[in-house]
Amino acid sequence: MTVRAQKVWEEVEIVAGYITYIDLVRPFIGEKKIVSTGMRQEIDRCREVVRLAQEGNSVALVSSGDAGIYGMAGILIECLQEAGCIDIPLEIIPGVTAANAAASQLGAPLMHDFAVISLSDLLTPWELILKRTRLAAEGDFVLAIYNPKSKGRQEQIEEIRKLLLEIRSPETPVGIVREALRGETPQVTISTLEEFTRLPIDMLTTVIIGSSQTKVIGPYMVTPRGYVL
Amino acid sequence: MTVRAQKVWEEVEIVAGYITYIDLVRPFIGEKKIVSTGMRQEIDRCREVVRLAQEGNSVALVSSGDAGIYGMAGILIECLQEAGCIDIPLEIIPGVTAANAAASQLGAPLMHDFAVISLSDLLTPWELILKRTRLAAEGDFVLAIYNPKSKGRQEQIEEIRKLLLEIRSPETPVGIVREALRGETPQVTISTLEEFTRLPIDMLTTVIIGSSQTKVIGPYMVTPRGYVL
């Protein structure tokens, strides 16, 4: 959490968000009024935040990781526009997104160009996700995979693995991090492209797939920037 | 800056780093011993940090943005290996990288899949940078461009613009952010793929180039995640 995120609570009257994320910040928010909603109710949640702001309240909308990376910032701006109040003051507080947090637990896999891809096909056609993965692999980007699995999507990460094996070595290092820096002890494993889908992967996991340059150095996964020692 | 980064100074004896970055954290480090080196002396700096750690000192190596994104984490691990002491305890503290910081100033351009590319060709062949840019554009990734210009590289961002115009609309929103969240007031402009290289761009600038879905909503640059309002 950033220093700014830890301090913003002093300036707001209402804290809104998905209940699981509210719980993560509960130690900081004291006795503020809380407006929580369930999962997959992002639009309702933002419309409520906009309504509260239109009434003159100062509202913090909680988003996990970085609100600006697959987070709530975009839909909130769209809802401000919908309500005809795009001029209401808005501060987006950046944070440590899952790719950064996972990388710090693995070593230094993101020292060079990388692509961030979500496997969630709720709002994106699966064919586009596959196309992006293939092109990023052809470009030898390190890949940071968000939402690798959910209850309803178990086979897609396997499809991604097979696609990448057409382009990258089976020995390519793959880092798997669960609950990166959420307060719990993160579960960190370094595997290979050949093997990694045999390990436990779920919604709270971030998968980082190395480029052709990525290697394992001691307990770390590193993509060298190219310095010659 | 994260809460963890602000507190780590209490636990170290020596602070090392490039002098410009040391200056950014000087308010926090008090009377610690400082070991600063000049720009482009990354290897010497890391070897010195390793030497100090081998002597039993607790050393903080300062890196701007996120140490794990084009930062010092990778070369430090390589230097630990070089010195045969990969088992010295190491904590990599993730941070807010320039892409995240710039995105927060622009609105919400990174709500969907994105690629991060550095235009610095000091350690990477320019042809590979161009290839990656082309493939990322074909994959309709939002692009976050690091090191868009330096004194020695003025024309490359123009070459990138021309390449992208073959694939994306000239009206594609492009966000330009200088000194994102470094304490100074950031300079933030939203332009278009057609026009953006006419604006001032330098080493301290991050450029975010929209995908086919990115749009301008009021004062914000937004890549909708796909919610239907």
Side-chain angles (χ1 to χ4, degrees):
Chain A
M1 183 181 276
T2 62
V3 175
R4 177 70 189 127
Q6 202 178 56
K7 289 203 170 146
V8 73
W9 317 109
E10 297 161 14
E11 300 165 28
V12 301
E13 290 140 4
I14 302 172
V15 178
Y18 171 42
I19 186 68
T20 305
Y21 301 154
I22 296 270
D23 286 341
L24 290 173
V25 298
R26 217 174 274 274
F28 306 107
I29 59 182
E31 299 298 309
K32 304 281 178 190
K33 182 179 169 190
I34 291 174
V35 177
S36 68
T37 48
M39 209 176 153
R40 296 199 186 170
Q41 296 178 16
E42 292 86 356
I43 298 173
D44 291 345
R45 201 181 306 152
C46 286
R47 283 179 175 152
E48 179 66 9
V49 168
V50 169
R51 195 186 62 73
L52 292 164
Q54 282 179 308
E55 287 178 357
N57 297 288
S58 178
V59 190
L61 174 60
V62 181
S63 188
S64 75
D66 184 328
I69 313 287
Y70 303 106
M72 298 299 293
I75 181 71
L76 182 60
I77 292 171
E78 290 181 88
C79 287
L80 284 170
Q81 181 189 42
E82 176 191 51
C85 56
I86 196 75
D87 55 339
I88 287 181
L90 171 66
E91 176 185 358
I92 296 161
I93 302 175
V96 177
T97 185
N100 298 221
S104 74
Q105 296 295 307
L106 290 164
L110 303 183
M111 286 293 105
H112 216 305
D113 303 339
F114 63 98
V116 181
I117 299 175
S118 167
L119 299 196
S120 172
D121 60 355
L122 287 177
L123 300 168
T124 306
W126 179 240
E127 288 310 312
L128 177 58
I129 296 170
L130 279 181
K131 178 185 173 188
R132 281 185 174 154
T133 304
R134 176 178 292 280
L135 289 164
E138 287 173 357
D140 204 23
F141 285 94
V142 179
L143 298 179
I145 307 286
Y146 282 48
N147 305 308
K149 268 191 191 178
S150 72
K151 280 185 187 162
R153 291 181 296 103
Q154 294 286 322
E155 291 307 312
Q156 299 187 335
I157 189 72
E158 187 58 34
E159 202 172 334
I160 292 291
R161 186 185 76 94
K162 286 179 184 158
L163 186 159
L164 291 174
L165 278 170
E166 294 172 20
I167 301 168
R168 288 196 190 165
S169 158
E171 298 307 312
T172 304
V174 174
I176 298 174
V177 182
R178 188 167 187 281
E179 295 253 48
L181 299 177
R182 267 211 188 165
E184 308 294 319
T185 308
Q187 295 151 30
V188 182
T189 314
I190 298 177
S191 181
T192 64
L193 189 53
E194 179 74 42
E195 304 273 355
F196 81 97
T197 49
R198 297 185 193 174
L199 296 163
I201 293 174
D202 66 13
M203 278 285 284
L204 299 177
T205 306
T206 306
V207 177
I208 298 189
I209 298 169
S211 73
S212 68
Q213 302 305 304
T214 305
K215 53 190 178 182
V216 177
I217 300 178
Y220 306 111
M221 175 176 172
V222 178
T223 306
R225 185 125 188 232
Y227 296 106
V228 179
L229 290 189
Chain B
M1 182 179 277
T2 63
V3 175
R4 177 71 191 125
Q6 203 178 56
K7 289 203 169 148
V8 74
W9 318 109
E10 298 162 14
E11 301 164 29
V12 301
E13 290 140 5
I14 302 173
V15 178
Y18 171 42
I19 186 68
T20 306
Y21 300 154
I22 295 270
D23 287 342
L24 290 173
V25 297
R26 218 175 273 273
F28 306 106
I29 60 182
E31 299 298 309
K32 304 281 177 193
K33 183 179 169 192
I34 291 173
V35 177
S36 68
T37 48
M39 208 174 151
R40 294 199 188 170
Q41 295 176 16
E42 291 87 356
I43 299 172
D44 291 345
R45 201 181 306 153
C46 285
R47 283 179 175 152
E48 178 66 7
V49 168
V50 170
R51 195 186 63 72
L52 291 165
Q54 283 178 308
E55 287 178 356
N57 297 288
S58 178
V59 191
L61 174 61
V62 182
S63 187
S64 75
D66 183 328
I69 313 286
Y70 303 105
M72 298 298 293
I75 181 70
L76 181 60
I77 292 171
E78 290 182 89
C79 287
L80 283 171
Q81 181 189 42
E82 177 191 51
C85 56
I86 196 76
D87 54 339
I88 287 181
L90 171 66
E91 177 185 358
I92 297 161
I93 302 174
V96 177
T97 186
N100 298 221
S104 74
Q105 295 296 308
L106 289 163
L110 303 183
M111 287 292 105
H112 218 303
D113 303 338
F114 62 99
V116 181
I117 299 174
S118 167
L119 298 196
S120 171
D121 60 355
L122 287 177
L123 299 169
T124 306
W126 179 239
E127 288 311 312
L128 176 58
I129 296 170
L130 278 182
K131 178 186 171 187
R132 282 186 173 152
T133 304
R134 177 179 292 280
L135 289 164
E138 287 174 357
D140 203 24
F141 286 94
V142 180
L143 298 179
I145 306 285
Y146 283 48
N147 305 308
K149 268 191 192 178
S150 71
K151 280 183 185 163
R153 291 181 297 103
Q154 295 286 323
E155 291 307 313
Q156 300 188 335
I157 189 73
E158 187 58 34
E159 202 173 331
I160 293 290
R161 186 185 76 96
K162 285 179 185 161
L163 185 161
L164 290 174
L165 278 170
E166 294 172 20
I167 301 168
R168 290 197 188 164
S169 158
E171 298 307 314
T172 303
V174 174
I176 297 173
V177 182
R178 189 169 187 280
E179 295 253 47
L181 299 177
R182 267 211 191 166
E184 309 292 318
T185 307
Q187 295 153 27
V188 182
T189 315
I190 297 175
S191 179
T192 63
L193 189 54
E194 179 74 42
E195 303 272 355
F196 81 98
T197 49
R198 298 185 193 174
L199 296 163
I201 293 175
D202 66 13
M203 278 286 283
L204 298 177
T205 306
T206 305
V207 177
I208 297 188
I209 298 169
S211 72
S212 68
Q213 302 305 303
T214 305
K215 53 190 179 181
V216 177
I217 299 178
Y220 306 112
M221 174 175 173
V222 178
T223 307
R225 184 124 188 234
Y227 295 106
V228 179
L229 291 189

